[in-house]
Each structure stands twice: as structure tokens, then as C-alpha cells.
Amino acid sequence: MTAVPATGSHHDAARDAGVGPNARVPLADYLAGVLRGLRPLPPLDLEITAAHGNVLAEDVVGPGPVPAFDHAAIDGYAARFDDVSDAQPGRPVRLSVVGDLVASSWRPVRLTPGTCFSVAAGALMPVSADVVVPPGMTDQGMAAVEVYHPTKRGHGVRRAGDELPAGAVLARAGAYVTPPLVSVLAASGIGHVVVRPSPRVVVIATGDELVDVGRASQPGQVVDANSHALTAAAAEAGAHAYRVGICDDDPEGLRGLLDDQMLRADLIITTGGTGTGPGDMVRRILSRQVVFSDLSVYPCSSLGYGMVGGPNGVPIVCLPGDPGAALIGFEVLARPVIQLLAGADPVFRPSVRAHLLETVSSPSGMREFRPAYITERRGGGYTVAPLAGGPYTLSGLADANGLMVLGEKVISAAAGSTVDVILLDRRR
């Protein structure tokens, strides 16, 4: 199952985003063009447990009420409110206990004045009973019971539809299927839902200089941190992520690897080789299929996006080789693409405004995404402390729970000023 492109090619999308050979493209325009060229993956019907973690493709409407019938919410004595409303510690009300009801009891029974049933939580309420008296308010009798305290009408009773009426929208299209939602669906009698499949994402690191983890870098060698980190990031975004590993700077090797991976991928992510230097093989080899854009984004100003395998093929995102820039590029471009393919709504992470705790500088003309640690204030609102950015973005991201966004016109942001912060929920 592959991505469904919208009308037009990836080059059309890039052109719509304002991509030019020399201009730096504003991020908002670039993303609008890229995302406009994609559609969510085709939906499928799944059993509710298997659907966990997927995104609903359509609204789910409850076929009946929740709870489905009036039942006891607590253990106690099901009685008529009119029979027990006058109970006092010194003047108890005496009721005959005419039977016991448990959660598996299914035959309807009726109360007559002056009687009650001993009930367990979950048991069907007797007809005309409108209160469950807790055992602690009685002498806990078996054949007869004395009630020492009055209760409010409806105490200890859950009525049909109290939580959700019949026909209620249980979840909207675009929502993730969570464990609590699985419970709501099951309680409503729904066993299957229509969802978008989780995108299959393949991650490839490129470069002759790369060596696998488990060894220290030597001159001319760089440990491949990117493919591991990006595979984890894709999984965190809800994808089925597969790390292919390292591809040398061999044009035929890269082409063959992409051809092989198209069979199992809804999205391919490469890292490295997006610049214009003599060793940037990815940009040279994929220039007919991928549009490489220079964005007004720091620290990942060069990103590539396109389709491999023709206009109806598989989308590909090409990220920089620097680990910090690659992870920022993932947040900026790859993660929204994954969310769109999954059918999620919204596709972007939430953001808040926060008070900056210390003054920071930012490159002129660039929208900087700076690792930060955000804290909710006791009296309301947020504060944010900047962490290491620029060439040290990777170490900053390791401690970050947010990304501080400094606009293109911001050269310096003073302590006490208010800035935008994207919230990094590491669970999604």
C-alpha cells in the first residue's frame, strides 16, 4: 500500500511552494506545497484491538446508549427512595430483603413498597428502584435490613445513557485510536472500525564516510547516528519504521536500494548528501525526481522532497547529514508527511506561547528551531529555557521537551519576552 498523491506532480507541489534556484523559501509556503500534493493512505477495516495506534478514517457513532441499561453503581441495597427518605439514626427504616442480584442477573424484577434487593455493582436495577443504599448506612441485614441514614434519589444508580446517549459521536475522523477509546468502542458494542493504516517508513543513511554504531569515529569516518535516530523518530510519530542502514556513495547502489524499498514503503527518508558539494551524491542522483530546496530554516536549510518510481510512486524526504539538523528536518518536514499519510488531524504538533528565561540570539533571515525546556507555571502560563542550538543542536535535543521558534526577523530575543514553543510529546 503506497501513498496516494494528489493531482499534479511533486514538482508542481514544489513550484507551488515558491521553490526557486536561488531564493530561500519560507517554511510555511514550502510545507503548504508539499502537503497539498499528498493524500492519506487508503482506509481499511480493523478489529478494535488491532486498530489501536491508527487514525480513524471516519466518524464512529454509538449504536446504543452507554450504559446500555440501568444498573447499580455500587454494592448495597436497591430500594425505593420514598421508602428510605425518612430514615434517621434513631429512627431507622426497616425493609424486607426479597432477593439477591449480581452482575450476571438478567431477569427483570420489580420492587414493591417496603422491600429491597441486595445488589452487587453492575447488577440490573429492579423496576421502580431509584436508589442503592450503601451497606455502611445499614445494619447489613440479610432477610431484613434497617436503614439508618437517608440518601439522595439516584444515589448509587447509573442510568442507561448516563455517559453516552444512543447516536453519540464516540470519536471523529482524524483521531488516534487510544486504549480508552478502545474501551468506549467495546462498551458501545462496536467491534470493528475503519482506520488509516500506519505508514511504513524506510530510513536510509548515505555516505562513504559512515560506519555503524559500536565503534568510535576515526579521521574520515563518521558514526551513523542518523538512521537510528530517524527510525526512532518515525516510530514515535506512529509509523512502522524500518532502518535499512548505510548506503555508500554509489549511484547504482542507491538506485537499486530505492527500487527494492519501494515495494514495502509508504515513505522513504534518506539522510546525507543534500548539499551542493562534490560528495553530495543524493542531490546529484535524485535531482530529476526530488526537488531540493534552500529554506529559510535553521539549522536544516537544505531539504529534498519528491516521488521515486514515477508520479504514482512513493514519496521521499531527503534530510541533511548533520544529526541535529536531520532531526530538526524530520520535525519540520518528515513528521507532518507521516501524520498526513496516517490521516491524522491536525498534522502539526501543538504549540504554546512562553516567557523566555534568558536572552538568545538568532541568525538573521532564518526561522530558527532551537531546543528548549518548557515549564508550566503554577499560576498559569509557561516559561521556556533555551538549550544548546546551532552546531550543538543534537545535544540540546537530548534534554528538550520543546522547540523554541524564532522568526526570520528575530536577531535577538530578550529575557522576559514571549516566544512560540512547539511541544515535543515523546509518546507521539
Side-chain angles (χ1 to χ4, degrees):
M1 185 180 296
T2 57
V4 180
T7 303
S9 71
H10 63 282
H11 288 282
D12 295 332
R15 184 177 62 249
D16 291 345
V19 175
N22 299 312
R24 287 208 176 272
V25 183
L27 179 60
D29 295 341
Y30 178 77
L31 286 177
V34 168
L35 299 181
R36 189 163 51 241
L38 286 173
R39 293 290 181 267
L41 297 174
L44 70 162
D45 185 280
L46 287 182
E47 187 270 333
I48 55 173
T49 306
H52 169 248
N54 293 89
V55 174
L56 292 171
E58 56 187 35
D59 293 352
V60 181
V61 177
V66 177
F69 52 87
D70 296 352
H71 67 268
I74 59 174
D75 296 334
Y77 297 89
R80 299 169 66 250
F81 172 75
D82 290 342
D83 284 342
V84 298
S85 59
D86 295 331
Q88 299 293 333
R91 194 174 55 189
V93 171
R94 185 178 178 85
L95 301 175
S96 297
V97 181
V98 294
D100 299 325
L101 298 175
V102 296
S104 59
S105 300
W106 58 274
R107 292 183 182 277
V109 294
R110 179 180 293 274
L111 277 183
T112 57
T115 66
C116 67
F117 277 86
S118 172
V119 295
L124 175 70
M125 286 291 290
V127 177
S128 76
D130 53 5
V131 68
V132 176
V133 182
M137 299 172 66
T138 73
D139 67 351
Q140 303 185 33
M142 299 179 66
V145 63
E146 291 190 344
V147 180
Y148 297 115
H149 299 279
T151 58
K152 294 182 179 179
R153 192 185 302 273
H155 180 80
V157 179
R158 291 194 68 196
R159 296 294 184 188
D162 266 358
E163 187 164 1
L164 294 167
V169 176
L170 306 181
R172 297 286 185 184
Y176 276 93
V177 179
T178 63
L181 180 56
V182 170
S183 182
V184 168
L185 296 172
S188 301
I190 296 173
H192 287 75
V193 288
V194 179
V195 299
R196 306 284 179 182
S198 297
R200 301 164 300 168
V201 177
V202 168
V203 180
I204 304 169
T206 66
D208 287 338
E209 75 281 9
L210 295 180
V211 294
D212 223 329
V213 296
R215 54 191 293 187
S217 295
Q218 302 293 331
Q221 296 180 336
V222 176
V223 174
D224 170 29
N226 287 6
S227 68
H228 295 277
L230 294 172
T231 303
E236 183 187 79
H240 294 304
Y242 307 93
R243 175 184 174 267
V244 172
I246 300 169
C247 177
D248 295 334
D249 288 330
D250 171 23
E252 292 307 315
L254 178 61
R255 291 190 185 99
L257 183 59
L258 292 176
D259 287 342
D260 290 342
Q261 296 306 315
M262 279 191 295
L263 299 175
R264 69 164 179 171
D266 299 307
L267 172 67
I268 296 174
I269 298 175
T270 69
T271 175
T274 61
T276 56
D280 290 318
M281 182 264 299
V282 171
R283 189 164 188 151
R284 293 199 315 274
I285 299 304
L286 298 180
S287 59
R288 292 187 178 182
Q289 300 161 289
V290 175
V291 175
F292 290 88
S293 305
D294 294 325
L295 306 179
S296 57
V297 175
Y298 184 78
C300 58
S301 59
S302 181
L303 297 175
Y305 174 78
M307 291 276 179
V308 290
N312 294 318
V314 176
I316 184 170
V317 169
C318 300
L319 301 176
D322 175 79
L327 283 171
I328 295 295
F330 179 90
E331 285 293 331
V332 166
L333 176 58
R335 191 179 190 280
V337 169
I338 291 172
Q339 296 297 295
L340 190 149
L341 293 176
D345 184 22
V347 299
F348 298 108
R349 291 190 189 268
S351 63
V352 298
R353 301 278 289 172
H355 291 279
L356 189 56
L357 294 179
E358 60 185 80
T359 300
V360 294
S361 58
S362 184
S364 177
M366 304 291 281
R367 178 172 292 269
E368 181 179 9
F369 291 82
R370 177 81 171 262
Y373 195 87
I374 186 168
T375 304
E376 189 170 3
R377 296 191 298 193
R378 184 174 299 176
Y382 299 89
T383 60
V384 61
L387 300 173
Y392 309 108
T393 295
L394 182 62
S395 58
L397 283 171
D399 296 323
N401 64 356
L403 285 177
M404 185 169 60
V405 184
L406 302 172
E408 290 86 348
K409 297 182 180 179
V410 176
I411 299 175
S412 177
S417 60
T418 303
V419 296
D420 291 313
V421 183
I422 298 171
L423 303 179
L424 298 179
D425 183 353
R426 295 304 188 188
R427 297 165 299 173
R428 172 56 60 198

